[in-house]
Amino acid sequence: MDKMKKLANGLEMPRLGLGVWRVNDDDATNSVKWAISNGYQLIDTAAVYKNEEGVGEGIRQAGVNRGDLFITTKLWNADQGYESAHQAFNDSLERLGLDYVDLYLIHWPVEGKFNDSWRAMEEIYENGRAKAIGVSNFHQHHIEELMTTAKIKPMVNQIELHPTLTQVQLRDFLSKEDIAIEAWSPLGQGKILQNETLVEIGQKYDKTAAQVIIRWHLQSDIIVIPKSVHENRIKENFDVFDFELSEEDMNQIDSLNINERLGADPDNFDF
Ligand code: NAD
């Protein structure tokens, strides 16, 4: 399995990274440092996580070449709009202590605003300060609306996706459009790790349920960013490149889908 996925603009994005939602600055610093020293290159943060400074500190403490890392952050809802998106991006870079990010995402599809936000993001991309730009929590119709004014198609859509919410229809659309799919809450926020099917499949390969789920994402061509603040779990979650789930096991995991959302529906959010 290739550890990198080529985005539509040719940029290589790591298929497996670390998420840091609901992680404070100090924990973010440690988690990022541990992740990088265990082989991670992709780190997923957001302005609203309020830990960009901690993430930046972890990057510096890890002491690797910036070019070997892939840093994602996101534009928060309150900052959407043309001018405010530019300002929010500058603020994120400053907090991170970086002069570019690898991927900048619109966090949620704020109606009436995301087209203007995108115009700012296209300029940020053209100036080389984000190596790729994309969206998050966009349904098909949001992407279609974005494309009525966009010059550049989003390269990534980061969506809630796990074995109990497999998003088959949206994934089909995104694949046809050559928009890479990235899963948030890929482990179902830890709530599906006791699932018997996943545990049993893991036993066959001498792997944990978390590793089975991460491998299922990877074999489904989904970029995946499990979160943990514990070094042993961060390590465990990256130890997934030495086994391959059979087609039968992949199908069994697919069949766990019950369209269960843990987060808000992008058509109905109030934040
Ligand atoms: P997740 O699905 O990654 O689950 C994380 C939880 O699973 C941990 O808190 C821990 O309880 C458990 N866990 C992790 N590894 C484990 C292991 N090896 N063994 C046992 N338990 C383990 O949840 P998440 O944090 O919601 O999602 C991952 C990342 O996705 C976030 O940190 C964030 O970066 C991103 N995200 C983005 C959005 C968005 O709107 N774009 C929304 C939510 C999350």
Side-chain angles (χ1 to χ4, degrees):
M1 147 107 34
D2 190 348
K3 286 188 179 171
M4 308 297 271
K5 176 167 176 73
K6 204 187 273 288
L7 302 181
N9 68 340
L11 187 71
E12 299 269 1
M13 177 165 180
R15 290 176 181 272
L16 174 55
L18 178 78
V20 293
W21 182 34
R22 294 195 277 213
V23 176
N24 65 32
D25 268 317
D26 287 345
D27 285 342
T29 298
N30 286 325
S31 313
V32 166
K33 195 175 51 181
W34 290 328
I36 294 171
S37 64
N38 279 292
Y40 288 67
Q41 293 173 286
L42 164 62
I43 308 293
D44 182 87
T45 184
V48 75
Y49 301 170
K50 305 233 176 292
N51 59 18
E52 289 172 309
E53 287 179 0
V55 167
E57 183 57 27
I59 292 170
R60 282 182 293 283
Q61 288 187 16
V64 298
N65 287 335
R66 171 68 183 92
D68 291 334
L69 299 176
F70 191 106
I71 309 301
T72 302
T73 194
K74 313 185 192 86
L75 173 67
W76 185 238
N77 301 349
D79 295 320
Q80 287 215 27
Y82 175 77
E83 298 284 347
S84 44
H86 269 297
Q87 183 61 49
F89 179 75
N90 291 339
D91 293 346
S92 279
L93 276 193
E94 198 173 314
R95 283 189 295 265
L96 285 161
L98 299 176
D99 52 15
Y100 71 91
V101 296
D102 297 277
L103 177 63
Y104 196 44
L105 300 175
I106 294 187
H107 210 144
W108 287 85
V110 177
E111 288 289 355
K113 289 203 170 168
F114 62 70
N115 295 72
D116 283 341
S117 306
W118 191 250
R119 198 155 50 85
M121 290 175 59
E122 288 175 330
E123 291 173 2
I124 289 165
Y125 173 68
E126 279 164 354
N127 292 333
R129 294 193 307 147
K131 303 293 175 200
I133 50 175
V135 294
S136 177
N137 298 302
F138 274 46
H139 284 319
Q140 177 172 338
H141 72 87
H142 295 120
I143 291 178
E144 286 165 350
E145 194 179 327
L146 187 73
M147 290 315 298
T148 61
T149 57
K151 286 191 295 178
I152 300 170
K153 204 198 283 187
M155 291 139 204
V156 174
N157 188 9
Q158 184 184 112
I159 54 174
E160 182 180 346
L161 206 172
H162 39 76
T164 47
L165 178 70
T166 54
Q167 302 257 36
V168 173
Q169 254 187 315
L170 179 54
R171 278 161 61 194
D172 278 350
F173 167 76
L174 295 171
S175 300
K176 282 189 197 110
E177 293 292 327
D178 198 16
I179 299 172
I181 303 159
E182 184 174 22
W184 65 254
S185 294
L187 303 176
Q189 300 177 0
K191 291 178 182 130
I192 50 174
L193 297 176
Q194 314 303 326
N195 177 286
E196 245 173 62
T197 303
L198 297 170
V199 172
E200 275 170 24
I201 291 174
Q203 282 162 354
K204 286 201 279 183
Y205 301 90
D206 200 16
K207 292 286 174 184
T208 64
Q211 290 169 320
V212 167
I213 300 170
I214 293 165
R215 187 70 203 187
W216 168 82
H217 284 284
L218 294 173
Q219 287 182 221
S220 307
D221 197 20
I222 296 164
I223 298 162
V224 61
I225 44 170
K227 171 239 163 183
S228 177
V229 292
H230 303 290
E231 189 170 11
N232 60 331
R233 288 178 172 175
I234 289 173
K235 213 169 161 173
E236 175 185 323
N237 293 347
F238 205 74
D239 183 18
V240 293
F241 293 102
D242 62 348
F243 77 114
E244 187 171 353
L245 295 167
S246 67
E247 203 179 322
E248 192 193 338
D249 291 332
M250 289 293 291
N251 292 339
Q252 234 194 319
I253 301 170
D254 285 332
S255 73
L256 297 175
N257 180 45
I258 47 169
N259 297 323
E260 177 188 49
R261 275 187 195 281
L262 302 171
D265 186 323
D267 273 333
N268 184 22
F269 61 98
D270 59 359
F271 44 85

